[in-house]
Amino acid sequence: LDFGYTGQVQYSTLNLVWGERVKKKLAGYEAPADRIIPVGNTHLAQEIRDQKQNHTRKKKRKELGMAKSVVPLLIFSALLPALDLVMPLFKFVSRSKDHKLIIKFHPAAKRQETEAWIKAIPEEFNQNIMFIHSRETIYTLMSVSDLCVLAKQSTTGLEALALDKPLVKLDFAYSPQSAYSFVDQGVATKMSVQQLVRALEDRVDFSTLADRTKLAEY
């Protein structure tokens, strides 16, 4: 048995979890079910209200010089992808007058590794790109962006959807075995990097790619 599943419940008074699926998972690892209480997400509703009241999107896009740009937000895991996997996107954005790209590194990514990764990008292909590790919250970046692109398996997709952002999952990050596949549930669009570039070039409305009924149900 995995201590990560048993320990967090057996050594705490209560475990507040997102939903029944998680409760069932923990209980399956001999965690006392009466200590597991589904409460849903505890902070997103307030975040959504705050962003609307503070006009976060408008203010931050102006501050970052992105007011008139189409801005994808590319979200990485702690393990950075090979540069050649994402280079077509970098090349397109670097040559575009209408697009800017935000790359959000995972909090667990080591700064030395991210700096070396950025340094390996040819200078001509790192234009119109913001590389962000910790100085902005993921929610602020989602607010600024026009779509969120996952280059990893991540629950941040749920948060992007809650903030009403179209969600794209890069094909190299897709796994049919994922416990919470956004693609399989019909709320994210699976694309190769080349397909994403063509869609950006053609000014595709990404909000039309997912089924609105499935989004609402999700």
Side-chain angles (χ1 to χ4, degrees):
L1 293 175
D2 188 329
F3 181 78
Y5 290 116
T6 60
Q8 65 178 303
V9 177
Q10 292 177 352
Y11 290 89
S12 64
T13 305
L14 294 172
N15 252 231
L16 308 181
V17 299
W18 277 16
E20 293 292 342
R21 186 187 189 115
V22 181
K23 178 175 181 176
K24 184 178 180 181
K25 179 77 170 178
L26 292 177
Y29 279 84
E30 298 185 353
D34 59 350
R35 296 188 196 174
I36 310 168
I37 302 175
V39 295
N41 189 294
T42 60
H43 62 278
L44 271 176
Q46 184 63 48
E47 178 67 32
I48 292 167
R49 284 194 295 270
D50 288 347
Q51 287 196 8
K52 288 180 179 178
Q53 291 174 0
N54 297 331
H55 306 286
T56 301
R57 175 177 169 84
K58 183 178 180 180
K59 290 179 181 178
K60 205 66 182 180
R61 281 173 67 93
K62 183 178 180 181
E63 177 186 325
L64 298 175
M66 298 178 169
K68 297 181 180 180
S69 301
V70 176
V71 185
L73 169 62
L74 181 56
I75 302 173
F76 287 154
S77 68
L79 183 63
L80 299 175
L83 266 178
D84 61 332
L85 289 176
V86 290
M87 192 59 72
L89 178 60
F90 291 4
K91 290 180 179 179
F92 167 72
V93 171
S94 294
R95 294 166 177 164
S96 175
K97 296 179 181 179
D98 304 316
H99 296 79
K100 294 186 185 296
L101 175 66
I102 299 175
I103 291 178
K104 176 67 173 71
F105 293 111
H106 193 278
K110 296 180 180 178
R111 187 168 296 279
Q112 285 182 325
E113 293 178 1
T114 62
E115 289 176 351
W117 192 86
I118 295 170
K119 190 175 181 180
I121 303 170
E123 186 174 351
E124 62 183 309
F125 298 137
N126 67 1
Q127 307 302 307
N128 301 322
I129 304 174
M130 289 186 63
F131 301 95
I132 296 180
H133 191 276
S134 59
R135 67 181 183 272
E136 299 285 356
T137 71
I138 188 68
Y139 301 121
T140 297
L141 298 178
M142 285 178 177
S143 181
V144 167
S145 71
D146 295 297
L147 68 146
C148 292
V149 182
L150 296 182
K152 61 169 186 169
Q153 294 186 38
S154 172
T155 55
T156 52
L158 180 149
E159 296 163 313
L161 294 171
L163 291 168
D164 201 27
K165 299 298 174 179
L167 188 61
V168 169
K169 186 74 169 282
L170 294 179
D171 58 356
F172 63 78
Y174 168 76
S175 171
Q177 284 78 40
S178 175
Y180 50 87
S181 172
F182 301 114
V183 172
D184 292 348
Q185 294 183 77
V187 295
T189 304
K190 183 174 71 169
M191 287 184 166
S192 67
V193 175
Q194 291 79 4
Q195 287 173 325
L196 174 61
V197 168
R198 285 196 294 271
L200 290 168
E201 196 170 22
D202 294 341
R203 291 302 187 106
V204 168
D205 182 354
F206 287 86
S207 66
T208 65
L209 298 183
D211 186 315
R212 299 305 299 182
T213 300
K214 290 182 178 179
L215 282 169
E217 290 173 352
Y218 182 81

